[in-house]
Each structure stands twice: as structure tokens, then as C-alpha cells.
Amino acid sequence: MTAAAVHAFDRDGPAARRLARALGAAFAPIGLHRFPDGESSVSAAPAAAVSCLYSALNRPDAKLAPLLLAADALRRRGADRLILVAPYLPYLRQDRVFVPGQALSRDVFGRAVGSAFDGIITVQAHMHRTRDLDAAFGGRPVLNLSAVTLLAQAGRWNDPVFVAPDIEAESWARAAADAAGGTWTGFRKVRDGDREVRLGPARVDAVRGRQAVILDDICSSGATLMSAAASLRAAGAAGVDVAVAHALFPPVVQARLLGAGIGRILSTDSIPHPTNAARLAPLLAQAGISPLLLASPL
Ligand code: R5P
């Protein structure tokens, strides 16, 4: 094992420690002080030449400045090669100018993060209209891992139908069926607003009398999952569960999902959440970070 360490702010301590254990690396907390006016002051312990900064980047507006300050602190403490481990990468849904006058958030965020880190590891990045993630992050290598097998196996479903709520999720539903058995089908989705979606026809006959599992990268407002669940129940599914990589939703949405007839809700621990059912540390350590820390090409 190369000399490496995983650094994280307190709020990310548990997941970052799990990652450090999986890597056989040291863990070191990052210090965060808030001045009375709300500005952050960040301090790092001495850093290994190859270091990771682990950060769950939900609610990113408040986290971006401390993240960039932490990168600087770690460089000053000796990190020559600094990898950001952000299992959830925000702003990737704003991947084009949808309305004239809007900022292109993906590229603004990507350029800022790319300027501070040598590489980025993430999971199930939102790639609807993004072809080249490296380019969006200023040319830095971005390793985008899949949590589909982990999620598909975490549910221990018996002969499920994995359901893609939109065309972009189809490859995940197919991969889930390959990994955990069962079959898959998919909807077509049109988004009308932050909390309004319309789902077009899926081959709903495929779900009659079966356990349906809707698979998505993100649940935020819950509109996508609720709309898919309603169609599946109307089509005669015996049960509807959901599995998402990134649980961005608050408790009120969780209650609404359960109230809409969804049985179980599973998520990865990319964001700490009551629905977490699959830990990412082994995936991150085995599939992604070890080669990165050893400075192999991504
Ligand atoms: C977008 O298409 C994503 O893949 C998700 O389906 C979306 O972000 C879910 O958002 P919401 O829960 O607000 O429908």
C-alpha cells in the first residue's frame, strides 16, 4: 500500500473512516472554524504525498468554499497528488442552458473543482447530456463508478422487474437484472418542472403480479419515483420498491413515497440518510481509489 491518507470534515467522518479502513490508509480530520460573519477557516494535519479528501457534496452551496480551502490546506501540508472522493457530484443535472440567461452550473462547478484536485472519484454521476466528464472538470480524470450491482443485490429481491424511469436509466435496469436476476423495463420521462414529471408508456404488462424495483441515480423531490410507482401499481405490480444511488430527499418526501404505496426505499451511503442500505467504501477502495493512489492512469 502506498503512503496515503483519507482526510474529511467531521460531518463526513464515519464514511471517510470506512473508506480509510477499506484502503488500509490513515484517516485525518480536517478542521473547520466559522468566523462570526460566517466565513470558513480550514486547517489540515500533515498530509501524505498522495492524499484523498472525502466529501459528501449534497447541499453543495455551503460546502464548496470549505472544500476548495481544504484542498489548499492539504497541498500546503504536503499532498502532491490530491484526489477528491465525492460519491455524489452535484450540479451535473444543470448540464445545459435550459432557459436563456442561465449559468451552465455543471461547467462552473467542474472548473472550480478541477482546478483544486488532480482527480475525482464519484459514483453514478448524472450523465444525461454530458458525454465527457473529464472535460467538464477542466480535463482532470474523473472515475465514475457504478453502484447498480450493489443496490440490486442489497434488496435480495426474488425475480424482480427492475424499472428505469427514463431512457438514461435503462442501462442500469438491464445491469441490475444481469447482476441480481429478474428482468427489466423502462419508461420515457418528460420533466415539466422541479416537482412535475410525466412518464410515458413502459411495457407495464411485464410487471403484472411481479415485484417491481424502480432504479434511479437520484431522488430529490420524489416526483419521478411517485409517478413511476403509481403507473406500476395501476399495472398490477405485486409490490413496488425503489433503489437510488443518491438519497437527496428530506423526511417529508420519504413519508410521501411510502404513502404512495412504495414498500422499501434503498440507497447507497453516498449521502448519510435513513434509507442507506449499501455501503460504498469497498467499491471505492477496490474499483477506484487504489489505482488512483498508486498513480496509475485512471
Ligand atoms: C433525472 O432525470 C434523474 O435521473 C432523476 O430521475 C431525478 O433527478 C429525480 O428527481 P426527482 O426526485 O425530483 O424527480
Side-chain angles (χ1 to χ4, degrees):
M1 185 66 210
T2 182
V6 177
H7 302 256
F9 290 106
D10 269 356
R11 59 167 190 261
D12 294 317
R17 283 175 196 278
R18 285 198 287 277
L19 175 60
R21 271 198 301 278
L23 283 166
F27 169 80
I30 301 269
L32 174 61
H33 171 75
R34 294 271 186 206
F35 291 113
D37 61 4
E39 280 185 8
S40 306
S41 169
V42 168
S43 51
V50 181
S51 286
C52 296
L53 176 55
Y54 180 98
S55 189
L57 287 176
N58 57 317
R59 303 195 173 279
D61 290 18
K63 293 180 178 176
L64 188 54
L67 184 83
L68 299 177
L69 296 176
D72 183 70
L74 287 165
R75 299 256 188 225
R76 292 174 189 281
R77 286 298 221 165
D80 290 331
R81 186 167 169 78
L82 184 57
I83 306 301
L84 172 64
V85 183
Y88 168 65
L89 277 181
Y91 289 119
L92 297 187
R93 285 171 292 175
Q94 297 177 37
D95 51 10
R96 59 175 248 226
V97 173
F98 294 97
V99 177
Q102 275 181 341
L104 183 47
S105 310
R106 176 198 61 192
D107 291 4
V108 174
F109 173 75
R111 278 196 301 268
V113 169
S115 69
F117 295 89
D118 298 303
I120 295 127
I121 307 270
T122 193
V123 176
Q124 219 73 47
H126 186 86
M127 298 289 289
H128 282 202
R129 287 156 291 265
T130 299
R131 295 287 156 263
D132 184 348
L133 211 43
D134 296 9
F137 282 79
R140 297 299 194 192
V142 182
L143 186 58
N144 180 19
L145 301 171
S146 171
V148 166
T149 299
L150 264 181
L151 283 169
Q153 292 174 346
R156 299 178 183 279
W157 291 284
N158 181 26
D159 191 32
V161 187
F162 289 100
V163 181
D166 51 33
I167 198 165
E168 288 81 8
E170 283 188 354
S171 61
W172 310 332
R174 191 182 308 120
D178 286 347
T183 57
W184 71 276
T185 187
F187 290 98
R188 294 286 179 274
K189 179 168 87 176
V190 178
R191 182 171 285 282
D192 294 323
D194 289 347
R195 293 179 170 77
E196 295 85 32
V197 300
R198 280 177 288 137
L199 295 191
R203 292 196 336 274
V204 285
D205 51 316
V207 304
R208 189 160 301 120
R210 309 251 321 264
Q211 173 66 53
V213 181
I214 311 165
L215 197 59
D216 210 351
D217 55 348
I218 292 168
C219 176
S220 171
S221 72
T224 300
L225 296 180
M226 274 186 275
S227 174
S231 299
L232 294 167
R233 294 203 76 84
V240 180
D241 289 347
V242 304
V244 295
H246 309 300
L248 297 182
F249 53 100
V252 63
V253 168
Q254 188 173 344
R256 261 184 235 139
L257 292 170
L258 296 173
I262 289 171
R264 287 193 294 156
I265 307 169
L266 279 65
S267 64
T268 77
D269 65 352
S270 68
I271 294 158
H273 195 274
T275 59
N276 288 171
R279 288 188 167 171
L280 291 172
L283 174 76
L284 292 167
Q286 289 158 23
I289 296 180
S290 297
L292 247 180
L293 290 183
L294 293 167
S296 307
L298 276 171

